């Protein structure tokens, strides 16, 4: 059970890890939408009930069950077409469209590298679903002042655990004015905010972090463990004990936040999205939980940044 862009539904996950999202879909009959509750969905099949031709099989699901059962053929339901290679001129290439099989199924999270021409820093990248992320925290200095002060207006960067020796591995911590670099808050996906990121990359919105979460299964699918890396850098807990730890190569590290808080225990990442007039959304991993979670902090906090490649 999950949600994409505030639409509830279910991920069906195959043994190879591939998955499909089916949103809630009501039943229509006699011009009225019939919904016993708002946690159900109905999808037609092509199978006729030969013992009672007025009905056909549909796939029904709610939070507790998923079954195929007979329903009257007069009902209106959603349908998901299935691609048939033999009817489309050969192999399973997705009909020639961009959404088909790329032939890269053996590498579910392809990695690459990218060099920031501004300072020569090279970063590992990882593609998860349709998003390509930096697989390392940003360590760009630019015109951002190194400081131990806090500010909701001045652009500051900070050493993780108050040590310059940590920057190469953990990146810098930044306050929100630094990562936004004068841009307005955004909750669009993509955010459209380059901020402090290199050309061709941008600061993710809350919606983009949510998209990443949903791509990997959503809540209760150990997404935090899948995104984390370097188990020996994390305090022991539910995050590192998950069998999915490090699966994606996203390599989130526990850089913590201001003045050594959470170092070794938490990874905090900025979003471009305001929670309210005084706080900003952030996503985080904790050694105490296998999930990716969200919270709010004031913009003078010190957090890590992961940039996302522009479409």
């Amino acid at each position: 059970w999950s949600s994409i862009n505030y639409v509830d539904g279910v991920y069906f996950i195959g043994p190879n890890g591939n998955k499909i999202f089916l949103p809630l879909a009501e039943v229509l009959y006699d011009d009225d939408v019939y919904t016993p509750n708002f946690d159900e969905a109905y999808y037609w099949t092509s199978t006729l009930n030969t013992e009672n031709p007025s009905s056909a099989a549909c796939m029904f699901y709610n939070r507790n069950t998923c079954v195929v059962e007979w329903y009257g053929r007069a009902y209106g339901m959603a349908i998901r077409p299935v691609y048939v290679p033999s009817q489309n001129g050969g192999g399973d290439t997705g009909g020639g469209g961009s959404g088909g099989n790329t032939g890269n199924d053996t590498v579910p999270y392809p990695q690459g590298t990218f060099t920031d021409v501004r300072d020569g820093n090279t970063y590992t990248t990882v593609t998860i679903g349709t998003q390509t992320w930096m697989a390392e925290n940003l360590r760009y200095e630019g015109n951002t002042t190194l400081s131990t002060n806090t500010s909701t207006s001045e652009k500051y960067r900070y050493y993780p655990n108050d040590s310059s020796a940590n920057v190469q591995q953990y990146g810098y911590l930044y306050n929100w004015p630094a990562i936004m670099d004068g841009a307005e808050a955004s909750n669009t996906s993509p955010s459209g905010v380059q901020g402090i990121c290199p050309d061709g990359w941008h600061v993710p919105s809350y919606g983009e972090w949510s998209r990443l979460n949903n791509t990997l299964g959503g809540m209760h699918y150990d997404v935090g463990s899948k995104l984390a890396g370097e188990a020996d850098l994390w305090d022991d807990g539910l995050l590192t004990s998950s069998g999915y730890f490090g699966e994606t190569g996203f390599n989130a590290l526990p850089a913590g936040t201001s003045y050594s808080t959470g170092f070794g225990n938490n990874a905090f990442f900025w979003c471009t999205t305001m929670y309210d007039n005084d706080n900003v959304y952030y996503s985080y991993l904790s050694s105490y939980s296998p999930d990716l979670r969200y919270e709010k902090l004031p913009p003078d906090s010190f957090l890590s940044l992961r940039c996302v490649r522009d479409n």
Side-chain angles (χ1 to χ4, degrees), residues 171-193:
Y172 281 108
L173 304 177
Y174 302 91
N175 65 0
W176 199 64
I179 65 107
M180 296 296 286
D181 198 27
E184 295 294 323
S186 169
N187 192 33
T188 61
S189 185
S191 70
V193 176

Side-chain angles (χ1 to χ4, degrees), residues 179-222:
I179 65 107
M180 296 296 286
D181 198 27
E184 295 294 323
S186 169
N187 192 33
T188 61
S189 185
S191 70
V193 176
Q194 178 176 346
I196 199 175
C197 294
D199 289 344
W201 296 77
H202 63 272
V203 182
S205 64
Y206 171 86
E208 290 178 277
W209 276 105
S210 296
R211 181 178 174 185
L212 176 65
N213 195 9
N214 289 329
T215 296
L216 294 173
M219 206 62 154
H220 310 306
Y221 279 88
D222 292 13

Side-chain angles (χ1 to χ4, degrees), residues 296-307:
K296 65 183 188 299
L297 278 172
D300 60 354
S301 305
F302 315 165
L303 310 184
S304 301
L305 175 64
R306 287 293 180 97
C307 299

Side-chain angles (χ1 to χ4, degrees), residues 44-50 52 55-58 68-71 73:
W44 274 129
T45 77
S46 62
T47 304
L48 181 70
N49 184 351
T50 56
N52 181 10
S55 64
C58 77
V68 175
E69 59 186 13
W70 303 117
Y71 251 76
R73 291 166 60 190

Side-chain angles (χ1 to χ4, degrees), residues 16 37 58 78 91-92 101 108 125 170 176 274 303:
N16 63 354
N37 58 58
C58 77
D92 186 7
N101 186 341
T125 66
Y170 292 91
W176 199 64
M274 296 292 295
L303 310 184

